Amino acid sequence: MSSEDRVNVFLLGATGQSSDTPHQWVSWLPELMASAHVGYIGGSVLGNLLSNVNPSLDLTVLVRDAAKAHKLNQLGVKIVLGELDDVENIQTLASQADIVLECADADHLDSTKAVLAGLKQRYKDTDKVPTLIHTSGTGVLTDHAAGMYATDIIYDDNDAEQLAKLSPEQPHRNVDLAVIAADEEGYVKTYIVLPSTIYGLATGPLVDAGIVNPQSQQIPALILAGKGRGQAGMVGQGKNIWPNVHIDDIVQLYEVLWNNVIEGKAIGHGKEGYYFGENGEHILLDVAKTIGAELKELGLAESDEPTTFTKEEVDRWFGGSESLGSNSRCRANRSRVVGWKPKKGTEDMLASIKPEIQYMLSKES
């Protein structure tokens, strides 16, 4: 694709959970855990696109909230009202796109199939191979450690053979496999971005306008549970390990992939198109301890020592999911090879916990 061509772009997942109302501690948290960063990643990617305005870019965004759609319209973005279940609409919009940025629910297979069907039609209509940049997650690498041990299995995004051995039963895997199969058919080039534990409050005019979700998933979930039970906690003994990445760094990974595609550079796609978003890793116990210290300092817990969540608490606070007790270890070697240069690491992640708590309290009050 030449940078001189006019580029039609379709973005899904730019808006999600509203941040304009106080958190409902029990009822809202399972929804948060299932949201797959909707609006947090996509909204940040959209903000980045808008800040780097390209006159040859025609951008269309699927939005489910009419009020947010109106605000985006005022910023010059073409909006189509709809949800991920509106598969016919999504297929039509994808058939008009040269590039689709899919930043919505990583487990919504029907919407991804609709995107792929639309891109297949785009290829038939133009005889040009369109692009899909799809968002998955390092949850696809998880095990069943239940917080009781760390694993020494580390996945490399530059090792296609290793990743091909992932079980089709892993989280997100069925959608990822559909994306890869489409690339193998030849009618689309696919690139899969796999963020890890994303942290940091998103910023920018779209956040200020209340259009996009400023918070991530895992760390806010642990904070909410800790505040709700009056003591920080972890699954099992918290010995499991996850990678981490700052929101600004993961947005830069999308930008790097975008630029490579626009400039027509030959980078890995399809089964060789995995791009991990990680810059360091953490033991979940360290996250729980940091949350505990901050909750105690703010008078929200009597002890700074975290304790193990009971089964009832996992059900109550996380909808029964023990994903926060799993291991997910990886290295973003392919991402770095194509030009990604993340800046913030694990110390920054731990330092981000206090601002997260303060933000939540400000919304509650």
mmCIF file of all heavy atoms in Angstrom, residues 214-260:
data_model
loop_
_atom_site.group_PDB
_atom_site.id
_atom_site.type_symbol
_atom_site.label_atom_id
_atom_site.label_comp_id
_atom_site.label_asym_id
_atom_site.label_seq_id
_atom_site.Cartn_x
_atom_site.Cartn_y
_atom_site.Cartn_z
ATOM 1 N N PRO A 214 -10.878 5.495 30.416
ATOM 2 C CA PRO A 214 -9.485 5.789 30.760
ATOM 3 C C PRO A 214 -8.787 4.695 31.555
ATOM 4 O O PRO A 214 -7.613 4.834 31.871
ATOM 5 C CB PRO A 214 -9.616 7.056 31.615
ATOM 6 C CG PRO A 214 -10.911 6.861 32.329
ATOM 7 C CD PRO A 214 -11.819 6.142 31.340
ATOM 8 N N GLN A 215 -9.499 3.610 31.883
ATOM 9 C CA GLN A 215 -8.913 2.596 32.757
ATOM 10 C C GLN A 215 -8.764 1.243 32.093
ATOM 11 O O GLN A 215 -9.545 0.870 31.225
ATOM 12 C CB GLN A 215 -9.768 2.429 34.016
ATOM 13 C CG GLN A 215 -9.572 3.547 35.030
ATOM 14 C CD GLN A 215 -10.247 3.195 36.338
ATOM 15 O OE1 GLN A 215 -11.459 3.215 36.431
ATOM 16 N NE2 GLN A 215 -9.450 2.874 37.341
ATOM 17 N N SER A 216 -7.769 0.514 32.569
ATOM 18 C CA SER A 216 -7.508 -0.828 32.089
ATOM 19 C C SER A 216 -8.399 -1.834 32.803
ATOM 20 O O SER A 216 -9.446 -1.481 33.349
ATOM 21 C CB SER A 216 -6.021 -1.150 32.280
ATOM 22 O OG SER A 216 -5.707 -2.404 31.738
ATOM 23 N N GLN A 217 -7.929 -3.080 32.874
ATOM 24 C CA GLN A 217 -8.764 -4.178 33.344
ATOM 25 C C GLN A 217 -8.238 -4.821 34.622
ATOM 26 O O GLN A 217 -8.880 -4.739 35.667
ATOM 27 C CB GLN A 217 -8.868 -5.228 32.231
ATOM 28 C CG GLN A 217 -9.750 -6.409 32.556
ATOM 29 C CD GLN A 217 -9.782 -7.397 31.414
ATOM 30 O OE1 GLN A 217 -9.067 -7.264 30.436
ATOM 31 N NE2 GLN A 217 -10.603 -8.409 31.532
ATOM 32 N N GLN A 218 -7.068 -5.458 34.567
ATOM 33 C CA GLN A 218 -6.653 -6.306 35.673
ATOM 34 C C GLN A 218 -6.381 -5.546 36.966
ATOM 35 O O GLN A 218 -6.900 -5.903 38.032
ATOM 36 C CB GLN A 218 -5.412 -7.116 35.285
ATOM 37 C CG GLN A 218 -5.668 -8.183 34.250
ATOM 38 C CD GLN A 218 -5.248 -7.736 32.859
ATOM 39 O OE1 GLN A 218 -5.310 -6.564 32.531
ATOM 40 N NE2 GLN A 218 -4.818 -8.681 32.047
ATOM 41 N N ILE A 219 -5.544 -4.514 36.903
ATOM 42 C CA ILE A 219 -5.178 -3.808 38.131
ATOM 43 C C ILE A 219 -6.375 -3.102 38.755
ATOM 44 O O ILE A 219 -6.593 -3.214 39.976
ATOM 45 C CB ILE A 219 -4.003 -2.853 37.878
ATOM 46 C CG1 ILE A 219 -2.732 -3.675 37.605
ATOM 47 C CG2 ILE A 219 -3.779 -1.915 39.069
ATOM 48 C CD1 ILE A 219 -1.531 -2.853 37.200
ATOM 49 N N PRO A 220 -7.198 -2.376 37.993
ATOM 50 C CA PRO A 220 -8.408 -1.803 38.602
ATOM 51 C C PRO A 220 -9.310 -2.857 39.225
ATOM 52 O O PRO A 220 -9.933 -2.615 40.265
ATOM 53 C CB PRO A 220 -9.089 -1.103 37.424
ATOM 54 C CG PRO A 220 -7.960 -0.720 36.536
ATOM 55 C CD PRO A 220 -7.011 -1.883 36.621
ATOM 56 N N ALA A 221 -9.394 -4.048 38.617
ATOM 57 C CA ALA A 221 -10.218 -5.111 39.195
ATOM 58 C C ALA A 221 -9.695 -5.521 40.566
ATOM 59 O O ALA A 221 -10.469 -5.700 41.514
ATOM 60 C CB ALA A 221 -10.244 -6.310 38.257
ATOM 61 N N LEU A 222 -8.390 -5.667 40.693
ATOM 62 C CA LEU A 222 -7.801 -6.027 41.983
ATOM 63 C C LEU A 222 -7.983 -4.920 43.010
ATOM 64 O O LEU A 222 -8.212 -5.183 44.197
ATOM 65 C CB LEU A 222 -6.308 -6.335 41.804
ATOM 66 C CG LEU A 222 -5.989 -7.667 41.114
ATOM 67 C CD1 LEU A 222 -4.521 -7.720 40.710
ATOM 68 C CD2 LEU A 222 -6.338 -8.840 42.026
ATOM 69 N N ILE A 223 -7.893 -3.670 42.569
ATOM 70 C CA ILE A 223 -8.108 -2.538 43.476
ATOM 71 C C ILE A 223 -9.552 -2.524 43.974
ATOM 72 O O ILE A 223 -9.817 -2.358 45.175
ATOM 73 C CB ILE A 223 -7.765 -1.208 42.775
ATOM 74 C CG1 ILE A 223 -6.263 -1.128 42.500
ATOM 75 C CG2 ILE A 223 -8.220 -0.021 43.626
ATOM 76 C CD1 ILE A 223 -5.868 0.035 41.601
ATOM 77 N N LEU A 224 -10.481 -2.688 43.062
ATOM 78 C CA LEU A 224 -11.892 -2.682 43.426
ATOM 79 C C LEU A 224 -12.210 -3.798 44.418
ATOM 80 O O LEU A 224 -12.922 -3.586 45.409
ATOM 81 C CB LEU A 224 -12.748 -2.843 42.174
ATOM 82 C CG LEU A 224 -12.831 -1.629 41.245
ATOM 83 C CD1 LEU A 224 -13.468 -2.028 39.919
ATOM 84 C CD2 LEU A 224 -13.623 -0.509 41.893
ATOM 85 N N ALA A 225 -11.685 -4.979 44.168
ATOM 86 C CA ALA A 225 -11.917 -6.095 45.082
ATOM 87 C C ALA A 225 -11.281 -5.820 46.436
ATOM 88 O O ALA A 225 -11.895 -6.078 47.487
ATOM 89 C CB ALA A 225 -11.356 -7.383 44.487
ATOM 90 N N GLY A 226 -10.048 -5.286 46.436
ATOM 91 C CA GLY A 226 -9.375 -4.985 47.691
ATOM 92 C C GLY A 226 -10.126 -3.957 48.512
ATOM 93 O O GLY A 226 -10.285 -4.093 49.725
ATOM 94 N N LYS A 227 -10.600 -2.924 47.870
ATOM 95 C CA LYS A 227 -11.376 -1.901 48.576
ATOM 96 C C LYS A 227 -12.681 -2.483 49.104
ATOM 97 O O LYS A 227 -13.085 -2.231 50.232
ATOM 98 C CB LYS A 227 -11.679 -0.720 47.664
ATOM 99 C CG LYS A 227 -12.476 0.385 48.364
ATOM 100 C CD LYS A 227 -12.869 1.473 47.404
ATOM 101 C CE LYS A 227 -13.638 2.575 48.147
ATOM 102 N NZ LYS A 227 -14.905 2.085 48.753
ATOM 103 N N GLY A 228 -13.321 -3.304 48.267
ATOM 104 C CA GLY A 228 -14.603 -3.858 48.661
ATOM 105 C C GLY A 228 -14.519 -4.803 49.842
ATOM 106 O O GLY A 228 -15.407 -4.827 50.696
ATOM 107 N N ARG A 229 -13.425 -5.584 49.934
ATOM 108 C CA ARG A 229 -13.270 -6.548 51.029
ATOM 109 C C ARG A 229 -12.489 -5.965 52.191
ATOM 110 O O ARG A 229 -12.324 -6.615 53.230
ATOM 111 C CB ARG A 229 -12.602 -7.836 50.512
ATOM 112 C CG ARG A 229 -11.133 -7.695 50.193
ATOM 113 C CD ARG A 229 -10.633 -8.814 49.284
ATOM 114 N NE ARG A 229 -10.551 -10.104 49.948
ATOM 115 C CZ ARG A 229 -9.435 -10.613 50.479
ATOM 116 N NH1 ARG A 229 -8.317 -9.885 50.462
ATOM 117 N NH2 ARG A 229 -9.436 -11.804 51.025
ATOM 118 N N GLY A 230 -11.980 -4.741 52.025
ATOM 119 C CA GLY A 230 -11.247 -4.081 53.097
ATOM 120 C C GLY A 230 -9.834 -4.573 53.277
ATOM 121 O O GLY A 230 -9.171 -4.267 54.272
ATOM 122 N N GLN A 231 -9.305 -5.277 52.297
ATOM 123 C CA GLN A 231 -7.935 -5.792 52.356
ATOM 124 C C GLN A 231 -7.535 -6.278 50.968
ATOM 125 O O GLN A 231 -8.323 -6.921 50.283
ATOM 126 C CB GLN A 231 -7.838 -6.943 53.361
ATOM 127 C CG GLN A 231 -6.424 -7.415 53.633
ATOM 128 C CD GLN A 231 -6.365 -8.396 54.797
ATOM 129 O OE1 GLN A 231 -7.380 -8.965 55.188
ATOM 130 N NE2 GLN A 231 -5.181 -8.594 55.361
ATOM 131 N N ALA A 232 -6.325 -5.953 50.564
ATOM 132 C CA ALA A 232 -5.845 -6.407 49.259
ATOM 133 C C ALA A 232 -5.808 -7.929 49.217
ATOM 134 O O ALA A 232 -5.683 -8.597 50.244
ATOM 135 C CB ALA A 232 -4.457 -5.841 48.973
ATOM 136 N N GLY A 233 -5.915 -8.474 48.006
ATOM 137 C CA GLY A 233 -5.927 -9.923 47.883
ATOM 138 C C GLY A 233 -5.293 -10.411 46.597
ATOM 139 O O GLY A 233 -4.967 -9.625 45.706
ATOM 140 N N MET A 234 -5.156 -11.719 46.518
ATOM 141 C CA MET A 234 -4.621 -12.354 45.314
ATOM 142 C C MET A 234 -5.224 -13.742 45.207
ATOM 143 O O MET A 234 -5.749 -14.289 46.179
ATOM 144 C CB MET A 234 -3.094 -12.429 45.325
ATOM 145 C CG MET A 234 -2.497 -13.318 46.386
ATOM 146 S SD MET A 234 -2.321 -12.467 47.967
ATOM 147 C CE MET A 234 -1.504 -13.748 48.947
ATOM 148 N N VAL A 235 -5.141 -14.316 44.031
ATOM 149 C CA VAL A 235 -5.565 -15.701 43.834
ATOM 150 C C VAL A 235 -4.445 -16.607 44.333
ATOM 151 O O VAL A 235 -3.280 -16.419 43.977
ATOM 152 C CB VAL A 235 -5.869 -15.980 42.347
ATOM 153 C CG1 VAL A 235 -6.203 -17.454 42.145
ATOM 154 C CG2 VAL A 235 -7.013 -15.094 41.863
ATOM 155 N N GLY A 236 -4.792 -17.583 45.155
ATOM 156 C CA GLY A 236 -3.788 -18.486 45.700
ATOM 157 C C GLY A 236 -2.738 -17.727 46.488
ATOM 158 O O GLY A 236 -3.056 -16.857 47.305
ATOM 159 N N GLN A 237 -1.471 -18.037 46.208
ATOM 160 C CA GLN A 237 -0.370 -17.368 46.903
ATOM 161 C C GLN A 237 0.228 -16.221 46.091
ATOM 162 O O GLN A 237 1.211 -15.616 46.505
ATOM 163 C CB GLN A 237 0.723 -18.397 47.234
ATOM 164 C CG GLN A 237 0.253 -19.472 48.197
ATOM 165 C CD GLN A 237 1.331 -20.507 48.478
ATOM 166 O OE1 GLN A 237 2.500 -20.347 48.122
ATOM 167 N NE2 GLN A 237 0.932 -21.605 49.132
ATOM 168 N N GLY A 238 -0.360 -15.950 44.929
ATOM 169 C CA GLY A 238 0.123 -14.834 44.119
ATOM 170 C C GLY A 238 1.503 -15.048 43.535
ATOM 171 O O GLY A 238 2.194 -14.088 43.196
ATOM 172 N N LYS A 239 1.885 -16.304 43.346
ATOM 173 C CA LYS A 239 3.230 -16.587 42.831
ATOM 174 C C LYS A 239 3.301 -16.526 41.302
ATOM 175 O O LYS A 239 4.394 -16.594 40.736
ATOM 176 C CB LYS A 239 3.689 -17.971 43.298
ATOM 177 C CG LYS A 239 3.913 -18.071 44.806
ATOM 178 C CD LYS A 239 4.393 -19.462 45.190
ATOM 179 C CE LYS A 239 4.675 -19.552 46.682
ATOM 180 N NZ LYS A 239 5.149 -20.911 47.081
ATOM 181 N N ASN A 240 2.173 -16.410 40.653
ATOM 182 C CA ASN A 240 2.128 -16.417 39.182
ATOM 183 C C ASN A 240 2.664 -15.119 38.597
ATOM 184 O O ASN A 240 2.735 -14.082 39.273
ATOM 185 C CB ASN A 240 0.693 -16.651 38.705
ATOM 186 C CG ASN A 240 -0.295 -15.683 39.325
ATOM 187 O OD1 ASN A 240 -0.394 -15.554 40.551
ATOM 188 N ND2 ASN A 240 -1.048 -14.992 38.488
ATOM 189 N N ILE A 241 3.044 -15.176 37.329
ATOM 190 C CA ILE A 241 3.746 -14.063 36.667
ATOM 191 C C ILE A 241 2.990 -13.637 35.419
ATOM 192 O O ILE A 241 2.515 -14.465 34.637
ATOM 193 C CB ILE A 241 5.183 -14.480 36.280
ATOM 194 C CG1 ILE A 241 5.979 -14.851 37.541
ATOM 195 C CG2 ILE A 241 5.884 -13.357 35.515
ATOM 196 C CD1 ILE A 241 7.368 -15.402 37.221
ATOM 197 N N TRP A 242 2.896 -12.330 35.237
ATOM 198 C CA TRP A 242 2.323 -11.744 34.010
ATOM 199 C C TRP A 242 3.254 -10.661 33.477
ATOM 200 O O TRP A 242 3.957 -9.996 34.247
ATOM 201 C CB TRP A 242 0.958 -11.120 34.310
ATOM 202 C CG TRP A 242 -0.194 -12.044 34.081
ATOM 203 C CD1 TRP A 242 -0.549 -13.119 34.863
ATOM 204 C CD2 TRP A 242 -1.144 -11.988 33.016
ATOM 205 N NE1 TRP A 242 -1.667 -13.723 34.335
ATOM 206 C CE2 TRP A 242 -2.053 -13.051 33.210
ATOM 207 C CE3 TRP A 242 -1.323 -11.134 31.933
ATOM 208 C CZ2 TRP A 242 -3.129 -13.293 32.347
ATOM 209 C CZ3 TRP A 242 -2.390 -11.380 31.082
ATOM 210 C CH2 TRP A 242 -3.279 -12.444 31.289
ATOM 211 N N PRO A 243 3.229 -10.433 32.159
ATOM 212 C CA PRO A 243 3.944 -9.289 31.587
ATOM 213 C C PRO A 243 3.103 -8.031 31.742
ATOM 214 O O PRO A 243 1.908 -8.090 32.047
ATOM 215 C CB PRO A 243 4.109 -9.662 30.109
ATOM 216 C CG PRO A 243 3.094 -10.724 29.849
ATOM 217 C CD PRO A 243 2.567 -11.242 31.133
ATOM 218 N N ASN A 244 3.721 -6.885 31.519
ATOM 219 C CA ASN A 244 3.002 -5.620 31.637
ATOM 220 C C ASN A 244 3.445 -4.645 30.557
ATOM 221 O O ASN A 244 4.536 -4.747 29.990
ATOM 222 C CB ASN A 244 3.183 -5.003 33.020
ATOM 223 C CG ASN A 244 4.582 -5.140 33.591
ATOM 224 O OD1 ASN A 244 4.821 -6.006 34.445
ATOM 225 N ND2 ASN A 244 5.503 -4.314 33.129
ATOM 226 N N VAL A 245 2.571 -3.675 30.270
ATOM 227 C CA VAL A 245 2.860 -2.665 29.258
ATOM 228 C C VAL A 245 2.036 -1.421 29.548
ATOM 229 O O VAL A 245 0.865 -1.516 29.936
ATOM 230 C CB VAL A 245 2.563 -3.198 27.835
ATOM 231 C CG1 VAL A 245 1.080 -3.494 27.643
ATOM 232 C CG2 VAL A 245 3.073 -2.246 26.769
ATOM 233 N N HIS A 246 2.642 -0.256 29.396
ATOM 234 C CA HIS A 246 1.922 1.003 29.624
ATOM 235 C C HIS A 246 1.008 1.296 28.445
ATOM 236 O O HIS A 246 1.328 0.952 27.297
ATOM 237 C CB HIS A 246 2.921 2.153 29.814
ATOM 238 C CG HIS A 246 2.288 3.418 30.304
ATOM 239 N ND1 HIS A 246 1.753 4.359 29.444
ATOM 240 C CD2 HIS A 246 2.095 3.898 31.563
ATOM 241 C CE1 HIS A 246 1.262 5.363 30.150
ATOM 242 N NE2 HIS A 246 1.449 5.106 31.436
ATOM 243 N N ILE A 247 -0.123 1.949 28.709
ATOM 244 C CA ILE A 247 -1.085 2.243 27.652
ATOM 245 C C ILE A 247 -0.454 3.041 26.513
ATOM 246 O O ILE A 247 -0.716 2.769 25.328
ATOM 247 C CB ILE A 247 -2.329 2.977 28.213
ATOM 248 C CG1 ILE A 247 -3.344 3.274 27.118
ATOM 249 C CG2 ILE A 247 -1.939 4.224 28.990
ATOM 250 C CD1 ILE A 247 -3.884 2.070 26.409
ATOM 251 N N ASP A 248 0.411 4.004 26.831
ATOM 252 C CA ASP A 248 1.037 4.790 25.765
ATOM 253 C C ASP A 248 1.955 3.934 24.906
ATOM 254 O O ASP A 248 2.068 4.141 23.689
ATOM 255 C CB ASP A 248 1.830 5.958 26.357
ATOM 256 C CG ASP A 248 0.940 7.006 27.011
ATOM 257 O OD1 ASP A 248 -0.277 7.014 26.731
ATOM 258 O OD2 ASP A 248 1.460 7.810 27.808
ATOM 259 N N ASP A 249 2.620 2.965 25.528
ATOM 260 C CA ASP A 249 3.517 2.088 24.776
ATOM 261 C C ASP A 249 2.743 1.137 23.863
ATOM 262 O O ASP A 249 3.156 0.882 22.725
ATOM 263 C CB ASP A 249 4.407 1.287 25.730
ATOM 264 C CG ASP A 249 5.516 2.125 26.350
ATOM 265 O OD1 ASP A 249 5.942 3.106 25.704
ATOM 266 O OD2 ASP A 249 5.950 1.802 27.473
ATOM 267 N N ILE A 250 1.609 0.613 24.345
ATOM 268 C CA ILE A 250 0.852 -0.299 23.482
ATOM 269 C C ILE A 250 0.242 0.461 22.313
ATOM 270 O O ILE A 250 0.166 -0.055 21.189
ATOM 271 C CB ILE A 250 -0.231 -1.071 24.281
ATOM 272 C CG1 ILE A 250 -0.699 -2.298 23.479
ATOM 273 C CG2 ILE A 250 -1.401 -0.198 24.636
ATOM 274 C CD1 ILE A 250 0.330 -3.356 23.297
ATOM 275 N N VAL A 251 -0.155 1.703 22.533
ATOM 276 C CA VAL A 251 -0.664 2.517 21.418
ATOM 277 C C VAL A 251 0.439 2.731 20.385
ATOM 278 O O VAL A 251 0.186 2.705 19.171
ATOM 279 C CB VAL A 251 -1.203 3.860 21.940
ATOM 280 C CG1 VAL A 251 -1.475 4.825 20.786
ATOM 281 C CG2 VAL A 251 -2.485 3.635 22.730
ATOM 282 N N GLN A 252 1.658 2.908 20.862
ATOM 283 C CA GLN A 252 2.767 3.099 19.937
ATOM 284 C C GLN A 252 3.018 1.852 19.102
ATOM 285 O O GLN A 252 3.428 1.938 17.937
ATOM 286 C CB GLN A 252 4.045 3.466 20.701
ATOM 287 C CG GLN A 252 5.120 4.102 19.828
ATOM 288 C CD GLN A 252 6.441 3.336 19.855
ATOM 289 O OE1 GLN A 252 6.672 2.487 20.699
ATOM 290 N NE2 GLN A 252 7.311 3.644 18.900
ATOM 291 N N LEU A 253 2.727 0.654 19.664
ATOM 292 C CA LEU A 253 2.875 -0.580 18.885
ATOM 293 C C LEU A 253 1.891 -0.596 17.717
ATOM 294 O O LEU A 253 2.256 -0.959 16.594
ATOM 295 C CB LEU A 253 2.666 -1.799 19.776
ATOM 296 C CG LEU A 253 2.712 -3.169 19.082
ATOM 297 C CD1 LEU A 253 4.001 -3.351 18.296
ATOM 298 C CD2 LEU A 253 2.535 -4.294 20.112
ATOM 299 N N TYR A 254 0.640 -0.188 17.963
ATOM 300 C CA TYR A 254 -0.323 -0.086 16.863
ATOM 301 C C TYR A 254 0.173 0.908 15.813
ATOM 302 O O TYR A 254 0.054 0.671 14.611
ATOM 303 C CB TYR A 254 -1.683 0.371 17.386
ATOM 304 C CG TYR A 254 -2.465 -0.695 18.110
ATOM 305 C CD1 TYR A 254 -2.309 -0.882 19.480
ATOM 306 C CD2 TYR A 254 -3.362 -1.512 17.434
ATOM 307 C CE1 TYR A 254 -3.022 -1.849 20.163
ATOM 308 C CE2 TYR A 254 -4.089 -2.486 18.103
ATOM 309 C CZ TYR A 254 -3.910 -2.653 19.465
ATOM 310 O OH TYR A 254 -4.615 -3.618 20.132
ATOM 311 N N GLU A 255 0.734 2.015 16.272
ATOM 312 C CA GLU A 255 1.235 3.037 15.346
ATOM 313 C C GLU A 255 2.376 2.488 14.495
ATOM 314 O O GLU A 255 2.443 2.743 13.281
ATOM 315 C CB GLU A 255 1.700 4.264 16.126
ATOM 316 C CG GLU A 255 2.192 5.396 15.249
ATOM 317 C CD GLU A 255 2.648 6.600 16.047
ATOM 318 O OE1 GLU A 255 2.498 6.605 17.283
ATOM 319 O OE2 GLU A 255 3.178 7.557 15.432
ATOM 320 N N VAL A 256 3.275 1.725 15.120
ATOM 321 C CA VAL A 256 4.391 1.132 14.387
ATOM 322 C C VAL A 256 3.868 0.176 13.315
ATOM 323 O O VAL A 256 4.317 0.208 12.152
ATOM 324 C CB VAL A 256 5.345 0.402 15.351
ATOM 325 C CG1 VAL A 256 6.309 -0.500 14.593
ATOM 326 C CG2 VAL A 256 6.125 1.403 16.187
ATOM 327 N N LEU A 257 2.935 -0.677 13.666
ATOM 328 C CA LEU A 257 2.366 -1.610 12.681
ATOM 329 C C LEU A 257 1.660 -0.837 11.574
ATOM 330 O O LEU A 257 1.806 -1.150 10.390
ATOM 331 C CB LEU A 257 1.397 -2.565 13.366
ATOM 332 C CG LEU A 257 2.021 -3.586 14.319
ATOM 333 C CD1 LEU A 257 0.933 -4.391 15.020
ATOM 334 C CD2 LEU A 257 2.966 -4.510 13.577
ATOM 335 N N TRP A 258 0.878 0.147 11.974
ATOM 336 C CA TRP A 258 0.162 0.990 11.006
ATOM 337 C C TRP A 258 1.129 1.589 9.999
ATOM 338 O O TRP A 258 0.908 1.529 8.787
ATOM 339 C CB TRP A 258 -0.581 2.068 11.781
ATOM 340 C CG TRP A 258 -1.147 3.176 10.954
ATOM 341 C CD1 TRP A 258 -0.493 4.293 10.496
ATOM 342 C CD2 TRP A 258 -2.478 3.285 10.469
ATOM 343 N NE1 TRP A 258 -1.336 5.084 9.774
ATOM 344 C CE2 TRP A 258 -2.572 4.479 9.741
ATOM 345 C CE3 TRP A 258 -3.610 2.487 10.593
ATOM 346 C CZ2 TRP A 258 -3.753 4.900 9.134
ATOM 347 C CZ3 TRP A 258 -4.779 2.907 9.995
ATOM 348 C CH2 TRP A 258 -4.839 4.085 9.271
ATOM 349 N N ASN A 259 2.203 2.188 10.500
ATOM 350 C CA ASN A 259 3.168 2.846 9.612
ATOM 351 C C ASN A 259 3.842 1.851 8.683
ATOM 352 O O ASN A 259 4.090 2.156 7.507
ATOM 353 C CB ASN A 259 4.214 3.604 10.439
ATOM 354 C CG ASN A 259 3.658 4.857 11.078
ATOM 355 O OD1 ASN A 259 2.681 5.433 10.592
ATOM 356 N ND2 ASN A 259 4.266 5.298 12.176
ATOM 357 N N ASN A 260 4.171 0.677 9.192
ATOM 358 C CA ASN A 260 4.768 -0.346 8.332
ATOM 359 C C ASN A 260 3.830 -0.744 7.203
ATOM 360 O O ASN A 260 4.251 -0.922 6.060
ATOM 361 C CB ASN A 260 5.133 -1.582 9.164
ATOM 362 C CG ASN A 260 6.500 -1.483 9.823
ATOM 363 O OD1 ASN A 260 7.530 -1.636 9.179
ATOM 364 N ND2 ASN A 260 6.497 -1.199 11.110
#
